[in-house]
Amino acid sequence: MNLSYWCVLAAGVMPAVTVAIAKWGKRDFDNSEPRRWLEKQEGVRRRADAAHRNHFEAFPFFAAGVLVAQQLNAPQDTINMLAGVFIVARIVYTVLYLTNHATLRSLSWAVGYLCVITLFLIAAFHGA
């Protein structure tokens, strides 16, 4: 399996990691109504939940970008590089979100978003 597919897997796991951070070590966590409980949180737990939701939002666009680029035979090294940069950007995004660095977080988000746009563009220009 090539690197870009591993990156799709990593992107799919990121929401679970960030929601685990939001819930970790909190004794009053209510699994019968987890969203309601999460909405009452503050600070790092609230930001971890927001990152969790954003990872879910970013995933379909990224996965589609990788699959479209693969299907249209874009250069594999370029696909792998863009997928890797996307994952690094999302990890940095998460760290910056958790540590409350909003401007840098937005820049990291933009890097990841541009990687996905570029996946679609290379697919368009190298398509069959």
Side-chain angles (χ1 to χ4, degrees), residues 37-52:
W37 181 86
L38 284 165
E39 289 170 2
K40 294 178 183 177
Q41 301 310 302
E42 296 177 355
V44 71
R45 290 183 193 284
R46 186 76 185 123
R47 291 190 303 275
D49 180 47
H52 154 80

Side-chain angles (χ1 to χ4, degrees), residues 13-114:
V13 170
M14 284 183 179
V17 171
T18 48
V19 81
I21 292 168
K23 296 174 183 178
W24 186 260
K26 195 79 162 139
R27 293 184 185 260
D28 70 338
F29 174 68
D30 182 3
N31 199 42
S32 65
E33 293 191 68
R35 291 183 182 176
R36 186 174 178 188
W37 181 86
L38 284 165
E39 289 170 2
K40 294 178 183 177
Q41 301 310 302
E42 296 177 355
V44 71
R45 290 183 193 284
R46 186 76 185 123
R47 291 190 303 275
D49 180 47
H52 154 80
R53 294 170 192 227
N54 189 266
H55 286 313
F56 271 125
E57 293 165 359
F59 178 76
F61 192 43
F62 170 64
V66 168
L67 295 173
V68 167
Q70 290 281 352
Q71 183 179 13
L72 294 177
N73 298 313
Q76 189 61 54
D77 289 343
T78 305
I79 297 170
N80 289 342
M81 184 268 306
L82 289 166
V85 171
F86 175 85
I87 292 301
V88 169
R90 294 303 293 182
I91 290 169
V92 170
Y93 166 89
T94 301
V95 170
L96 292 169
Y97 215 147
L98 295 176
T99 57
N100 202 21
H101 291 91
T103 301
L104 292 174
R105 179 193 82 219
S106 294
L107 290 172
S108 181
W109 178 91
V111 168
Y113 194 77
L114 289 172

